[in-house]
Amino acid sequence: MPHTEPAADPSRRTLLVGGTGIVLGSVIPLITQALFLVQLPGTSWLYVFEDTPLPGTLSAVILIAALVVLAVGIGGEPGIAGPSVAGRAALIVFGVASIATSGYSTMAAMTPEAGPVLAMLVAVVNLSLTALWVASLIVAAVFVARAGVVHGVARWGLLVLAAMTVLDLLASRIPSDVAIGVWIWGFVALRAVQLLIGVLYVVQALTAAPAREAPVATGYAR
């Protein structure tokens, strides 16, 4: 049986570094949000500045850095959104907005000194950030799928995450116990899918061969 060489991947290092960053940046929020739903509200990533400032902030920084790497590429490699400026920008904005909507902008409104004006202002900001988060995720997912830099199931990972995000937000608007339960557990599901996307990127990087450089021509053409 002939030996089959793995296909060369021009974004191998980008997927390895970016995918690893997504995994590392998703673990802390996934664990802490799961603990929040089960028994320990004080450990939730939603209250990262109150109880877990270092792990939560570190995971946020790693996640944003990973999405920047995936957007622009490293070492001259193409990013996962291809040459599209809009796709690259959407990936970066998604990273920043996803952190901002995870509780960082709500801390001021949760203090006893916060008045109704500040609480309303924070609510408007959060609504705007949520809209930006969802819109940037959808745009990034479409450009990543179109670019074809990511292969197989991983190519559609961000589209699945976008669809789940929209459904989770819709569930949050339905006044029923079942819908509220779906919305709350959706936080954990979204982080789990995000973690899986990072794993799939790493798997593609590890199973692909490094891209070969074109041979340098020597001498004169006849």
Side-chain angles (χ1 to χ4, degrees):
M1 188 173 183
H3 175 68
T4 303
E5 294 290 338
D9 194 332
S11 298
R12 182 171 177 267
R13 288 178 296 171
T14 296
L15 286 169
L16 181 60
V17 174
T20 302
I22 289 181
V23 170
L24 294 176
S26 303
V27 168
I28 292 296
L30 177 60
I31 293 174
T32 53
Q33 285 181 347
L35 289 174
F36 165 63
L37 293 175
V38 176
Q39 59 181 349
L40 301 175
T43 62
S44 173
W45 203 48
L46 297 175
Y47 308 103
V48 62
F49 283 141
E50 180 181 351
D51 291 289
T52 57
L54 182 58
T57 302
L58 182 60
S59 67
V61 171
I62 291 174
L63 180 61
I64 293 176
L67 287 168
V68 171
V69 167
L70 291 169
V72 303
I74 57 175
E77 294 181 346
I80 63 174
S84 169
V85 176
R88 295 177 179 180
L91 277 169
I92 297 172
V93 171
F94 163 63
V96 176
S98 64
I99 300 305
T101 56
S102 295
Y104 277 79
S105 60
T106 63
M107 297 307 299
M110 295 171 61
T111 60
E113 296 80 10
V117 175
L118 178 58
M120 182 179 297
L121 178 62
V122 170
V124 172
V125 170
N126 283 339
L127 182 61
S128 302
L129 287 173
T130 300
L132 182 63
W133 172 46
V134 176
S136 61
L137 174 55
I138 293 173
V139 172
V142 170
F143 276 103
V144 169
R146 289 179 57 185
V149 176
V150 185
H151 308 144
V153 178
R155 181 177 182 179
W156 314 105
L158 289 178
L159 282 173
V160 173
L161 183 64
M164 290 180 61
T165 300
V166 172
L167 290 176
D168 191 55
L169 290 175
L170 289 176
S172 70
R173 301 298 178 183
I174 300 176
S176 75
D177 292 339
V178 174
I180 292 175
V182 171
W183 169 55
I184 293 176
W185 279 104
F187 284 119
V188 177
L190 291 175
R191 293 299 178 187
V193 171
Q194 183 175 284
L195 176 63
L196 178 60
I197 290 172
V199 171
L200 291 174
Y201 288 177
V202 171
V203 169
Q204 177 176 325
L206 293 178
T207 55
R212 295 182 177 88
E213 295 182 359
V216 179
T218 58
Y220 296 96
R222 294 181 180 180

